Amino acid sequence: MFRKLLTGAALALSLLGGSLSAHAQNIKLAVTDLVGLEELQREFGPFKAELERASGLAIDFLPVTNRTAALEALRFKKVDFVLTGPAEYVVMQKRANAKVVAGLYRPDYYSLVVVKANSPLFSLLELKGQHVGLGSVGSTSRHLGPIQLLADAGLEPLNDIKVTHTHLRLAWEGLKKGDLQAVGMGRSDLENFLAQEPKDQQNAYRVLARSGDLPNDLLMAGEHVPTQTAERLRKAIVDHSTSLIASIGQGAEHAKRYQGMRFLTSIADKDYNAVRTMYRTAGYPEYAEFIGD
Protein backbone atom coordinates (compact mmCIF):
# COMPACT_ATOMS: atom_id res chain seq x y z
CA MET A 1 0.00 0.00 0.00
CA PHE A 2 2.85 2.34 0.92
CA ARG A 3 4.57 1.61 -2.41
CA LYS A 4 1.30 2.33 -4.26
CA LEU A 5 0.96 5.64 -2.42
CA LEU A 6 4.52 6.60 -3.32
CA THR A 7 3.95 5.62 -6.95
CA GLY A 8 0.73 7.62 -7.09
CA ALA A 9 2.37 10.63 -5.48
CA ALA A 10 5.28 10.47 -7.93
CA LEU A 11 2.86 10.24 -10.85
CA ALA A 12 0.88 13.21 -9.57
CA LEU A 13 4.04 15.28 -9.13
CA SER A 14 5.15 14.29 -12.60
CA LEU A 15 1.83 15.36 -14.11
CA LEU A 16 1.89 18.59 -12.12
CA GLY A 17 5.44 19.29 -13.25
CA GLY A 18 4.42 18.71 -16.87
CA SER A 19 1.47 21.03 -16.43
CA LEU A 20 3.63 23.75 -14.89
CA SER A 21 6.18 23.34 -17.64
CA ALA A 22 3.49 23.74 -20.30
CA HIS A 23 2.08 26.77 -18.54
CA ALA A 24 5.52 28.39 -18.33
CA GLN A 25 6.45 27.65 -21.93
CA ASN A 26 9.11 30.09 -23.05
CA ILE A 27 9.10 31.84 -26.40
CA LYS A 28 11.49 34.43 -27.84
CA LEU A 29 10.36 37.67 -29.48
CA ALA A 30 12.31 40.10 -31.67
CA VAL A 31 11.34 43.54 -33.00
CA THR A 32 13.09 44.42 -36.24
CA ASP A 33 13.31 48.20 -35.97
CA LEU A 34 14.86 48.33 -32.50
CA VAL A 35 18.48 47.59 -31.56
CA GLY A 36 19.50 46.66 -28.02
CA LEU A 37 17.71 45.11 -25.08
CA GLU A 38 17.35 48.42 -23.23
CA GLU A 39 15.43 49.99 -26.12
CA LEU A 40 13.29 46.86 -26.47
CA GLN A 41 12.39 46.96 -22.78
CA ARG A 42 11.62 50.67 -22.90
CA GLU A 43 9.43 50.59 -26.01
CA PHE A 44 7.81 47.14 -25.82
CA GLY A 45 8.26 46.05 -22.20
CA PRO A 46 4.63 46.87 -21.26
CA PHE A 47 3.33 45.03 -24.36
CA LYS A 48 5.45 41.96 -23.56
CA ALA A 49 4.20 41.90 -19.97
CA GLU A 50 0.56 42.19 -21.07
CA LEU A 51 0.99 39.51 -23.74
CA GLU A 52 2.53 37.19 -21.15
CA ARG A 53 -0.43 37.77 -18.85
CA ALA A 54 -2.95 37.24 -21.64
CA SER A 55 -1.34 34.13 -23.17
CA GLY A 56 0.22 32.40 -20.16
CA LEU A 57 3.48 32.18 -22.13
CA ALA A 58 6.82 33.36 -20.77
CA ILE A 59 8.36 35.74 -23.32
CA ASP A 60 12.02 36.68 -23.66
CA PHE A 61 13.23 39.51 -25.87
CA LEU A 62 15.93 38.71 -28.40
CA PRO A 63 17.70 41.90 -29.56
CA VAL A 64 18.70 41.86 -33.24
CA THR A 65 21.15 44.21 -34.96
CA ASN A 66 19.20 44.48 -38.20
CA ARG A 67 16.50 42.86 -40.33
CA THR A 68 18.84 40.25 -41.78
CA ALA A 69 19.80 39.16 -38.26
CA ALA A 70 16.10 38.74 -37.43
CA LEU A 71 15.59 36.67 -40.59
CA GLU A 72 18.54 34.40 -39.79
CA ALA A 73 17.34 34.03 -36.20
CA LEU A 74 13.98 32.83 -37.55
CA ARG A 75 15.58 30.45 -40.02
CA PHE A 76 17.87 28.91 -37.41
CA LYS A 77 15.20 28.79 -34.67
CA LYS A 78 16.95 31.31 -32.41
CA VAL A 79 13.77 33.38 -32.20
CA ASP A 80 10.14 32.27 -32.37
CA PHE A 81 8.16 35.43 -33.13
CA VAL A 82 9.08 38.67 -34.86
CA LEU A 83 7.21 41.97 -34.84
CA THR A 84 8.03 43.61 -38.14
CA GLY A 85 6.91 45.85 -40.99
CA PRO A 86 5.52 45.18 -44.46
CA ALA A 87 8.90 45.54 -46.22
CA GLU A 88 10.35 42.84 -43.98
CA TYR A 89 7.35 40.55 -44.39
CA VAL A 90 7.87 39.85 -48.09
CA VAL A 91 11.47 38.73 -47.48
CA MET A 92 10.77 36.73 -44.33
CA GLN A 93 7.83 34.97 -45.93
CA LYS A 94 9.96 34.02 -48.93
CA ARG A 95 13.20 33.11 -47.19
CA ALA A 96 11.97 31.67 -43.89
CA ASN A 97 8.40 30.61 -44.70
CA ALA A 98 7.33 32.60 -41.65
CA LYS A 99 3.64 32.51 -40.72
CA VAL A 100 1.44 35.48 -39.86
CA VAL A 101 -0.02 35.46 -36.36
CA ALA A 102 -1.71 38.87 -36.49
CA GLY A 103 -1.59 42.16 -38.33
CA LEU A 104 -1.20 45.53 -36.65
CA TYR A 105 -3.40 47.95 -38.55
CA ARG A 106 -2.18 51.53 -38.31
CA PRO A 107 -4.68 54.14 -39.53
CA ASP A 108 -3.27 56.83 -41.81
CA TYR A 109 -0.12 54.83 -42.51
CA TYR A 110 1.10 56.16 -45.83
CA SER A 111 4.07 57.83 -47.53
CA LEU A 112 4.44 61.48 -48.47
CA VAL A 113 6.72 63.63 -50.57
CA VAL A 114 7.05 67.01 -48.86
CA VAL A 115 8.38 70.33 -50.18
CA LYS A 116 8.56 73.83 -48.76
CA ALA A 117 5.40 75.89 -49.22
CA ASN A 118 7.24 78.41 -51.40
CA SER A 119 8.76 75.71 -53.64
CA PRO A 120 8.26 76.22 -57.39
CA LEU A 121 7.58 72.47 -57.71
CA PHE A 122 3.95 71.40 -58.02
CA SER A 123 4.23 67.91 -59.49
CA LEU A 124 6.44 64.89 -58.91
CA LEU A 125 7.63 65.02 -62.52
CA GLU A 126 9.23 68.38 -61.75
CA LEU A 127 11.56 66.61 -59.34
CA LYS A 128 13.54 65.23 -62.28
CA GLY A 129 17.17 66.25 -61.74
CA GLN A 130 16.41 67.51 -58.23
CA HIS A 131 17.92 66.49 -54.88
CA VAL A 132 15.53 64.42 -52.76
CA GLY A 133 16.09 63.18 -49.22
CA LEU A 134 14.80 59.82 -48.01
CA GLY A 135 14.95 57.98 -44.70
CA SER A 136 16.65 54.70 -43.89
CA VAL A 137 17.22 52.38 -46.83
CA GLY A 138 14.55 49.68 -47.00
CA SER A 139 12.01 51.47 -44.81
CA THR A 140 8.49 50.99 -46.16
CA SER A 141 7.18 54.51 -45.53
CA ARG A 142 10.46 56.47 -45.66
CA HIS A 143 12.10 54.87 -48.72
CA LEU A 144 10.11 52.31 -50.68
CA GLY A 145 6.80 54.18 -50.56
CA PRO A 146 8.24 57.52 -51.74
CA ILE A 147 10.24 56.02 -54.63
CA GLN A 148 7.14 54.16 -55.78
CA LEU A 149 5.28 57.47 -55.81
CA LEU A 150 8.00 58.87 -58.07
CA ALA A 151 7.86 55.83 -60.34
CA ASP A 152 4.07 55.98 -60.59
CA ALA A 153 4.39 59.61 -61.67
CA GLY A 154 6.58 58.58 -64.61
CA LEU A 155 10.09 59.07 -63.19
CA GLU A 156 12.88 56.51 -62.97
CA PRO A 157 13.87 57.00 -59.32
CA LEU A 158 17.23 55.26 -59.71
CA ASN A 159 18.27 57.57 -62.57
CA ASP A 160 16.15 60.72 -62.72
CA ILE A 161 16.75 62.18 -59.27
CA LYS A 162 19.64 62.57 -56.87
CA VAL A 163 18.77 60.68 -53.69
CA THR A 164 20.35 61.14 -50.28
CA HIS A 165 19.52 58.53 -47.63
CA THR A 166 20.01 59.88 -44.15
CA HIS A 167 18.41 60.12 -40.74
CA LEU A 168 15.05 61.70 -41.45
CA ARG A 169 15.64 64.54 -38.98
CA LEU A 170 18.76 65.52 -40.99
CA ALA A 171 16.75 65.34 -44.22
CA TRP A 172 14.13 67.64 -42.69
CA GLU A 173 16.82 70.15 -41.74
CA GLY A 174 18.22 69.87 -45.27
CA LEU A 175 14.78 70.73 -46.68
CA LYS A 176 14.51 73.73 -44.38
CA LYS A 177 17.93 75.04 -45.48
CA GLY A 178 17.26 74.45 -49.17
CA ASP A 179 19.92 71.74 -49.55
CA LEU A 180 17.14 69.32 -50.52
CA GLN A 181 14.20 70.15 -52.76
CA ALA A 182 11.92 67.45 -51.32
CA VAL A 183 11.85 64.75 -48.64
CA GLY A 184 10.04 61.40 -48.63
CA MET A 185 8.62 60.31 -45.29
CA GLY A 186 5.69 58.75 -43.48
CA ARG A 187 2.61 60.64 -42.38
CA SER A 188 3.52 60.39 -38.68
CA ASP A 189 7.02 61.72 -39.44
CA LEU A 190 5.56 64.90 -40.92
CA GLU A 191 3.25 65.36 -37.94
CA ASN A 192 6.18 64.97 -35.53
CA PHE A 193 8.34 67.46 -37.42
CA LEU A 194 5.60 70.07 -37.70
CA ALA A 195 4.78 69.74 -34.01
CA GLN A 196 8.36 70.75 -33.20
CA GLU A 197 8.36 73.79 -35.47
CA PRO A 198 7.46 77.29 -34.21
CA LYS A 199 3.78 78.03 -34.77
CA ASP A 200 4.50 80.58 -37.47
CA GLN A 201 6.49 77.97 -39.41
CA GLN A 202 4.05 75.06 -39.25
CA ASN A 203 2.44 76.16 -42.51
CA ALA A 204 5.79 76.56 -44.28
CA TYR A 205 5.58 73.10 -45.89
CA ARG A 206 3.19 71.33 -48.20
CA VAL A 207 2.59 67.80 -49.42
CA LEU A 208 3.50 67.31 -53.05
CA ALA A 209 2.07 63.77 -53.18
CA ARG A 210 0.86 60.97 -50.93
CA SER A 211 0.55 57.25 -51.41
CA GLY A 212 -2.38 55.02 -50.69
CA ASP A 213 -2.45 53.35 -47.30
CA LEU A 214 0.46 50.96 -46.79
CA PRO A 215 0.00 47.33 -45.69
CA ASN A 216 -0.05 46.37 -42.02
CA ASP A 217 2.79 45.65 -39.65
CA LEU A 218 2.83 42.00 -38.61
CA LEU A 219 3.52 39.62 -35.78
CA MET A 220 5.10 36.59 -37.47
CA ALA A 221 5.96 33.10 -36.25
CA GLY A 222 8.90 31.01 -37.40
CA GLU A 223 8.23 27.88 -39.42
CA HIS A 224 9.45 25.80 -36.45
CA VAL A 225 6.85 27.20 -34.03
CA PRO A 226 4.12 24.63 -33.26
CA THR A 227 0.73 25.58 -34.65
CA GLN A 228 -0.87 25.35 -31.22
CA THR A 229 1.62 27.89 -29.81
CA ALA A 230 0.94 30.36 -32.60
CA GLU A 231 -2.81 29.84 -32.15
CA ARG A 232 -2.48 30.37 -28.42
CA LEU A 233 -0.85 33.72 -29.04
CA ARG A 234 -3.43 34.66 -31.67
CA LYS A 235 -6.29 33.79 -29.30
CA ALA A 236 -4.71 35.91 -26.55
CA ILE A 237 -4.50 38.84 -28.97
CA VAL A 238 -8.15 38.45 -30.00
CA ASP A 239 -9.43 38.02 -26.45
CA HIS A 240 -7.34 40.82 -24.92
CA SER A 241 -6.92 43.25 -27.80
CA THR A 242 -7.99 46.33 -25.82
CA SER A 243 -5.39 45.92 -23.07
CA LEU A 244 -2.69 44.88 -25.55
CA ILE A 245 -3.33 47.95 -27.73
CA ALA A 246 -3.10 50.15 -24.65
CA SER A 247 0.21 48.55 -23.66
CA ILE A 248 1.82 48.83 -27.10
CA GLY A 249 1.15 52.55 -27.10
CA GLN A 250 3.14 53.16 -23.91
CA GLY A 251 6.51 53.29 -25.65
CA ALA A 252 7.59 56.91 -26.15
CA GLU A 253 8.74 56.40 -29.74
CA HIS A 254 5.80 54.22 -30.76
CA ALA A 255 2.90 56.04 -29.10
CA LYS A 256 2.03 58.03 -32.23
CA ARG A 257 3.04 55.26 -34.60
CA TYR A 258 0.39 52.92 -33.19
CA GLN A 259 -2.19 55.53 -32.21
CA GLY A 260 -5.65 54.27 -33.11
CA MET A 261 -4.33 50.84 -34.12
CA ARG A 262 -6.21 47.56 -34.03
CA PHE A 263 -5.19 43.92 -34.39
CA LEU A 264 -6.26 41.97 -37.47
CA THR A 265 -6.20 38.17 -37.71
CA SER A 266 -7.21 37.83 -41.34
CA ILE A 267 -4.22 38.81 -43.48
CA ALA A 268 -3.91 38.00 -47.19
CA ASP A 269 -0.49 37.59 -48.80
CA LYS A 270 -1.72 39.47 -51.89
CA ASP A 271 -2.07 42.59 -49.74
CA TYR A 272 1.73 42.80 -49.85
CA ASN A 273 2.09 42.69 -53.65
CA ALA A 274 2.35 46.48 -53.54
CA VAL A 275 5.49 46.10 -51.43
CA ARG A 276 6.91 43.59 -53.90
CA THR A 277 6.39 46.19 -56.63
CA MET A 278 8.33 48.68 -54.50
CA TYR A 279 11.23 46.24 -54.24
CA ARG A 280 11.31 45.91 -58.02
CA THR A 281 11.25 49.68 -58.41
CA ALA A 282 14.19 49.94 -56.00
CA GLY A 283 16.18 47.46 -58.13
CA TYR A 284 15.56 44.30 -56.08
CA PRO A 285 13.13 42.29 -58.24
CA GLU A 286 13.62 39.05 -56.29
CA TYR A 287 12.75 40.66 -52.90
CA ALA A 288 14.89 37.92 -51.37
CA GLU A 289 17.15 40.21 -49.33
CA PHE A 290 16.79 43.36 -47.31
CA ILE A 291 17.87 46.55 -49.02
CA GLY A 292 20.69 48.25 -47.16
CA ASP A 293 21.56 45.47 -44.69
Side-chain angles (χ1 to χ4, degrees):
M1 177 64 71
F2 184 65
R3 285 199 187 99
K4 287 181 180 179
L5 286 171
L6 281 177
T7 301
L11 178 60
L13 286 171
S14 173
L15 291 171
L16 178 60
S19 173
L20 289 172
S21 174
H23 180 73
Q25 179 184 350
N26 274 72
I27 60 172
K28 290 187 177 179
L29 171 68
V31 180
T32 55
D33 66 344
L34 294 177
V35 177
L37 185 59
E38 183 178 343
E39 193 175 5
L40 272 171
Q41 294 284 9
R42 182 176 66 249
E43 290 296 320
F44 283 96
F47 173 71
K48 179 179 86 75
E50 184 59 26
L51 191 56
E52 284 181 319
R53 187 196 68 77
S55 67
L57 297 167
I59 302 172
D60 296 322
F61 279 137
L62 179 74
V64 290
T65 53
N66 55 35
R67 296 162 293 181
T68 299
L71 169 64
E72 294 305 308
L74 268 182
R75 291 180 62 211
F76 291 100
K77 306 178 184 179
K78 301 296 184 184
V79 71
D80 304 304
F81 296 89
V82 175
L83 183 60
T84 193
E88 291 78 17
Y89 164 78
V90 297
V91 178
M92 289 184 175
Q93 193 272 339
K94 182 171 185 176
R95 293 276 306 280
N97 198 27
K99 300 166 287 190
V100 175
V101 177
L104 285 73
Y105 167 68
R106 294 160 56 184
D108 299 322
Y109 176 39
Y110 50 82
S111 293
L112 303 168
V113 176
V114 179
V115 297
K116 295 180 77 171
N118 61 1
S119 170
L121 307 173
F122 285 89
S123 75
L124 290 176
L125 277 175
E126 293 177 281
L127 284 173
K128 186 170 184 176
Q130 302 293 328
H131 197 170
V132 178
L134 298 176
S136 55
V137 178
S139 165
T140 309
S141 63
R142 298 170 176 176
H143 171 210
L144 297 177
I147 66 166
Q148 191 60 48
L149 274 171
L150 295 168
D152 292 343
L155 294 170
E156 294 183 15
L158 302 182
N159 302 314
D160 289 344
I161 59 174
K162 181 182 178 182
V163 172
T164 293
H165 287 283
T166 184
H167 190 284
L168 211 54
R169 166 55 67 180
L170 296 178
W172 179 255
E173 294 300 322
L175 178 65
K176 290 167 66 173
K177 293 175 183 176
D179 297 330
L180 299 173
Q181 281 69 61
V183 177
M185 63 183 73
R187 183 270 313 168
S188 60
D189 298 317
L190 179 61
E191 288 187 359
N192 289 335
F193 290 144
L194 292 178
Q196 295 172 48
E197 292 291 312
K199 278 195 174 182
D200 64 345
Q201 291 299 309
Q202 290 181 357
N203 62 352
Y205 308 90
R206 58 184 166 84
V207 174
L208 193 61
R210 63 151 285 179
S211 72
D213 284 2
L214 297 168
N216 304 295
D217 285 358
L218 296 158
L219 179 64
M220 303 183 70
E223 188 177 20
H224 64 282
V225 175
T227 300
Q228 59 267 33
T229 303
E231 288 298 329
R232 182 172 174 180
L233 213 58
R234 183 181 288 110
K235 185 177 186 304
I237 288 170
V238 171
D239 293 347
H240 302 272
S241 61
T242 301
S243 59
L244 286 167
I245 289 169
S247 68
I248 206 171
Q250 290 181 35
E253 294 296 323
H254 290 77
K256 282 193 175 180
R257 176 176 177 175
Y258 289 111
Q259 188 174 15
M261 68 154 285
R262 62 181 298 174
F263 288 106
L264 304 175
T265 53
S266 180
I267 301 293
D269 178 73
K270 66 179 177 60
D271 296 341
Y272 294 81
N273 286 341
V275 180
R276 295 180 175 101
T277 299
M278 294 174 191
Y279 268 87
R280 290 194 291 272
T281 299
Y284 288 76
E286 298 298 324
Y287 45 88
E289 58 184 302
F290 297 113
I291 307 172
D293 277 7

